[in-house]
């Protein structure tokens, strides 16, 4: 099957734990994902909220070097997609197409000129915040949050100018609406579920989802157990419930997958990247048309990133 996943934390785990991306015991490795082709995978560098300034920037560089190292080590199996021709080249090659993404604008170390560095590294999307505050604005877990700072507004302008996608997963509500107001084109939420079904502040309200839909953006439904159900008890059917809800909001061109492998506890019935097929089969068993399943698992995200 075809697969395009908008978020995982695997590359930083490889770096921290000294694991190999081809074969490991993490949620995701290239070997277990090899059944998917074409397969595009966003590999994020997550910037922990304890890191700010130059320390955050150095962390970003270290994880980027790890992705380069893994690409060199497995050049027949992994290719970083930087431009349109890379996307085309990967499709028939059987390689995993890696999109490098940044989870936490703190990676810039407070310097807007670093957006150019991100561009040079081939970064395809930036999640503006993690859960706390950073130079750009407030994340989802800030009490009485505010939106974009003046620096944050500058960063969003630079990202747009450089055609790096703006990701509002982890954003507080004021930050989300500031982005929606400032940005002209589409933006995305790489790994968020529906707040109507589970009250986590990391999830999107119907209004937020519809705003992303209307802009031509995408939303990656995520496998994070505590975003799927308020009881934190969740199975593969709960992922389907969130997909179903977003589809009911007219999301057939908006819903995608952003599993969050190696960044979370997975729901019952899922062990890692190898379980994605079971989720697709679950949808097909529930009479989802094949074209819709293909849109959710691949086409919507592919269209978004190739039209940036
Ligand atoms: Zn995250």
């Amino acid at each position: 099957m075809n697969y395009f996943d908008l978020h995982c934390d695997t590359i930083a785990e490889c770096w921290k734990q000294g694991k190999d991306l081809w074969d490991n015991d993490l949620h995701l490795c290239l070997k277990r994902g090899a059944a998917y082709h074409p397969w595009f995978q966003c590999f994020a560098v997550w910037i922990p909220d304890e890191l700010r300034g130059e320390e955050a920037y150095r962390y970003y560089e270290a994880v980027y070097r790890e992705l380069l190292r893994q690409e060199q080590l497995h050049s027949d199996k992994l290719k970083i997609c930087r431009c349109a021709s890379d996307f085309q080249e990967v499709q028939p090659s059987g390689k995993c197409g890696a999109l490098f993404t940044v989870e936490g604008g703190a990676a810039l170390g407070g310097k807007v000129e670093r957006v150019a560095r991100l561009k040079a590294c081939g970064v395809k999307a930036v999640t503006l915040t993690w859960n706390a505050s950073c130079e750009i604005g407030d994340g989802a877990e800030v009490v009485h949050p505010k939106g974009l700072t003046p620096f944050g507004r500058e960063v969003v302008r630079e990202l747009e100018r450089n055609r790096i996608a703006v990701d509002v997963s982890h954003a507080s509500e004021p930050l989300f609406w500031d982005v929606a107001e400032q940005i002209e084109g589409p933006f995305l939420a790489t790994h968020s579920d529906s707040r109507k079904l589970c009250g986590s502040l990391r999830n999107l309200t119907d209004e937020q989802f519809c705003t992303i839909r209307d802009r031509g953006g995408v939303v990656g439904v995520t496998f994070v157990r505590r975003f799927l159900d308020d009881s934190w008890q969740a199975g593969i059917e709960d992922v389907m419930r969130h997909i179903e809800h977003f589809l009911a909001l007219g999301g057939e061109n908006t819903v995608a997958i952003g599993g969050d492998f190696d960044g979370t506890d997975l729901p019952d019935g899922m062990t890692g990247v190898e379980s994605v097929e079971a989720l697709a089969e679950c949808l097909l068993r529930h009479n989802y048309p094949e074209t819709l399943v293909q849109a959710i698992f691949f086409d919507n995200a592919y269209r978004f990133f190739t039209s940036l």
Side-chain angles (χ1 to χ4, degrees):
M1 73 178 264
N2 303 346
Y3 188 40
F4 198 130
D5 183 297
L6 296 173
H7 187 81
C8 79
D9 287 321
T10 309
I11 201 70
E13 289 308 309
C14 284
W15 173 59
K16 282 188 273 191
Q17 300 185 38
K19 304 261 183 187
D20 184 72
L21 190 58
W22 166 248
D23 191 6
N24 62 46
D25 56 357
L26 300 171
H27 287 163
L28 185 148
C29 70
L30 299 176
K31 193 176 173 187
R32 279 177 285 132
Y36 309 121
H37 49 86
W39 174 27
F40 290 92
Q41 176 67 51
C42 293
F43 288 96
V45 44
W46 164 58
I47 310 293
D49 275 330
E50 305 82 67
L51 300 182
R52 289 295 180 261
E54 290 307 293
E55 225 187 332
Y57 175 66
R58 279 198 297 274
Y59 188 93
Y60 159 85
E61 286 287 342
V63 178
Y64 175 59
R65 277 196 302 275
E66 174 68 12
L67 182 62
L68 290 180
R69 197 180 71 83
Q70 296 284 354
E71 186 191 34
Q72 260 168 16
L73 221 55
H74 305 296
S75 57
D76 53 338
K77 304 193 176 72
L78 181 74
K79 180 175 175 60
I80 302 174
C81 291
R82 295 186 160 84
C83 59
S85 62
D86 293 338
F87 281 88
Q88 282 159 9
E89 196 190 311
V90 159
Q91 287 248 30
S93 71
K95 291 182 194 178
C96 172
L99 285 76
F100 186 45
T101 61
V102 173
E103 185 179 24
L108 297 170
K111 293 181 176 164
V112 72
E113 57 273 23
R114 290 240 167 90
V115 173
R117 171 63 187 153
L118 268 51
K119 182 72 182 175
C121 296
V123 168
K124 304 305 284 181
V126 172
T127 318
L128 294 177
T129 66
W130 201 58
N131 290 332
S133 300
C134 72
E135 296 89 341
I136 289 173
D138 289 347
E141 287 182 0
V142 174
V143 184
H144 309 304
K146 292 194 233 9
L148 288 168
T149 61
F151 173 75
R153 289 190 180 279
E154 247 185 287
V155 169
V156 168
R157 254 193 306 276
E158 272 306 285
L159 291 173
E160 263 197 301
R161 211 172 58 80
N162 283 282
R163 298 182 176 278
I164 298 173
V166 172
D167 176 14
V168 291
S169 281
H170 286 283
S172 62
E173 282 199 50
L175 191 91
F176 177 99
W177 292 113
D178 278 355
V179 169
E181 193 186 86
Q182 185 177 322
I183 270 193
E184 285 176 11
F187 57 98
L188 84 166
T190 54
H191 57 305
S192 293
D193 292 325
S194 163
R195 205 180 303 177
K196 189 91 173 200
L197 302 187
C198 171
S200 167
L201 293 173
R202 276 281 288 101
N203 285 344
L204 298 172
T205 65
D206 286 358
E207 204 185 350
Q208 289 176 321
F209 178 84
C210 291
T211 301
I212 295 175
R213 177 202 64 192
D214 292 345
R215 297 294 181 83
V218 284
V219 172
V221 167
T222 193
F223 308 149
V224 179
R225 190 178 262 273
R226 63 185 185 283
F227 303 165
L228 289 168
D229 195 278
D230 286 318
S231 71
W232 295 26
Q233 296 299 316
I236 215 162
E237 301 76 18
D238 293 291
V239 181
M240 194 177 70
R241 268 192 321 125
H242 284 261
I243 292 173
E244 216 147 47
H245 180 72
F246 284 149
L247 289 174
L249 295 173
E252 61 273 13
N253 297 316
T254 312
V255 181
I257 303 290
D260 205 2
F261 287 128
D262 295 306
T264 191
D265 288 334
L266 297 175
D268 296 340
M270 295 193 88
T271 50
V273 68
E274 62 279 5
S275 311
V276 171
E277 200 163 7
L279 175 62
E281 276 163 11
C282 183
L283 297 183
L284 290 168
R285 259 202 319 279
H286 285 80
N287 296 322
Y288 281 61
E290 252 174 66
T291 48
L292 181 57
V293 174
Q294 163 79 14
I296 295 167
F297 284 82
F298 189 81
D299 292 348
N300 290 341
Y302 187 80
R303 184 199 63 235
F304 178 86
F305 277 106
T306 50
S307 57
L308 272 180

